[in-house]
Amino acid sequence: MDSFYNSLLENNKKWVAEKLGEDPQFFSKLAKGQKPPLLWIGCSDSRVPANEIIGAQPGEVFVHRNIANMVIHTDMNMLSVLDYAVSILDVKHVIVCGHYGCGGVQAAMTNNHYGLVDNWVHHIKDVYRFHKIELDAINNEEERFRRFVEINVIEGVQDLEKSATIQAAWKNKQTPSLHGWVYDVANGIAKELITIKNY
Ligand code: CO
């Protein structure tokens, strides 16, 4: 039998018991609705679980994840998440979090074919092209890869800033602040690369 799969519902029962042990009202409070202060736009990579790496509890983070944490201005999924989070939930912060060792970013540095995802990776290749002079000047391939991960995050934050949702929000209020982070899967440390505030 598949012991990994079979353990999942058991794990869920243990988690529920643990949470209720800490706070008997834990789930009944969450059932009343959500007011998360943060929107997280991260990579789908299994090694970068949004809530866990920042110690956030259920109810604290609205999450959107895609391959290589891309902010694409025609992506209706991302735009809908962004608009709902900013206009309705009134999040105070948006974090775009990339990570070193990102397979999507690495794929964009090659001409290898991976199937359907090649179409998505094409957007990341555009980011490389915009920053080709800086990136091509880095001789060490690992260093170039790391810098490309960082640039992809910064580019994503700047794309958010230009979005209609953020521009409309900033006409009426100071929030949300936009942040770009990079996470290192090799040591668990996240660091801030850029912050853009409306004040
Ligand atoms: Co990734």
Side-chain angles (χ1 to χ4, degrees), residues 36 41-42 54 89 91 105 110 128 137 141 145 171 185 194 198:
I41 300 176
I54 55 173
L89 297 176
V91 296
V105 171
T110 73
Y128 195 102
E141 199 174 327
F145 178 21
K171 280 200 178 115
V185 291
I194 184 174
N198 185 34

Side-chain angles (χ1 to χ4, degrees), residues 22-185:
E22 292 164 10
D23 177 2
Q25 268 75 54
F26 186 78
F27 295 102
S28 52
K29 281 185 210 157
L30 287 172
K32 289 181 184 136
Q34 62 169 334
K35 191 71 180 151
L38 172 65
L39 166 62
W40 176 275
I41 300 176
C43 183
S44 299
D45 194 301
S46 61
R47 297 165 298 177
V48 195
N51 285 54
E52 202 167 336
I53 65 173
I54 55 173
Q57 292 299 315
E60 291 183 330
V61 197
F62 204 64
V63 174
H64 176 79
R65 291 170 71 179
N66 64 46
I67 290 172
N69 43 271
M70 297 299 288
V71 177
I72 311 284
H73 63 79
T74 52
D75 176 3
M76 280 307 293
N77 184 349
M78 186 280 297
L79 291 173
S80 301
V81 169
L82 175 68
D83 199 65
Y84 185 74
V86 172
S87 307
I88 308 296
L89 297 176
D90 195 25
V91 296
K92 304 305 178 199
H93 299 273
V94 182
I95 295 173
V96 177
C97 186
H99 67 100
Y100 298 125
C102 184
V105 171
Q106 190 167 37
M109 295 173 78
T110 73
N111 286 316
N112 298 341
H113 294 289
Y114 300 94
L116 189 62
V117 73
D118 294 345
N119 297 288
W120 188 252
V121 167
H122 197 100
H123 293 294
I124 316 171
K125 290 188 175 192
D126 289 340
V127 175
Y128 195 102
R129 198 155 42 77
F130 298 148
H131 298 273
K132 193 170 167 35
I133 292 169
E134 178 186 345
L135 289 166
D136 283 353
I138 304 170
N139 289 322
N140 181 287
E141 199 174 327
E142 182 60 24
E143 284 304 309
R144 187 162 69 241
F145 178 21
R146 288 170 77 88
R147 184 60 188 149
F148 188 18
V149 165
E150 294 173 359
I151 283 174
N152 186 48
V153 168
I154 293 165
E155 192 76 30
V157 173
Q158 289 168 343
D159 284 337
L160 276 183
E161 183 189 11
K162 284 179 263 170
S163 69
T165 293
I166 295 298
Q167 287 300 315
W170 283 1
K171 280 200 178 115
N172 306 317
K173 55 188 183 184
Q174 289 185 325
T175 56
S177 298
L178 310 178
H179 313 274
W181 284 16
V182 65
Y183 175 80
D184 194 337
V185 291

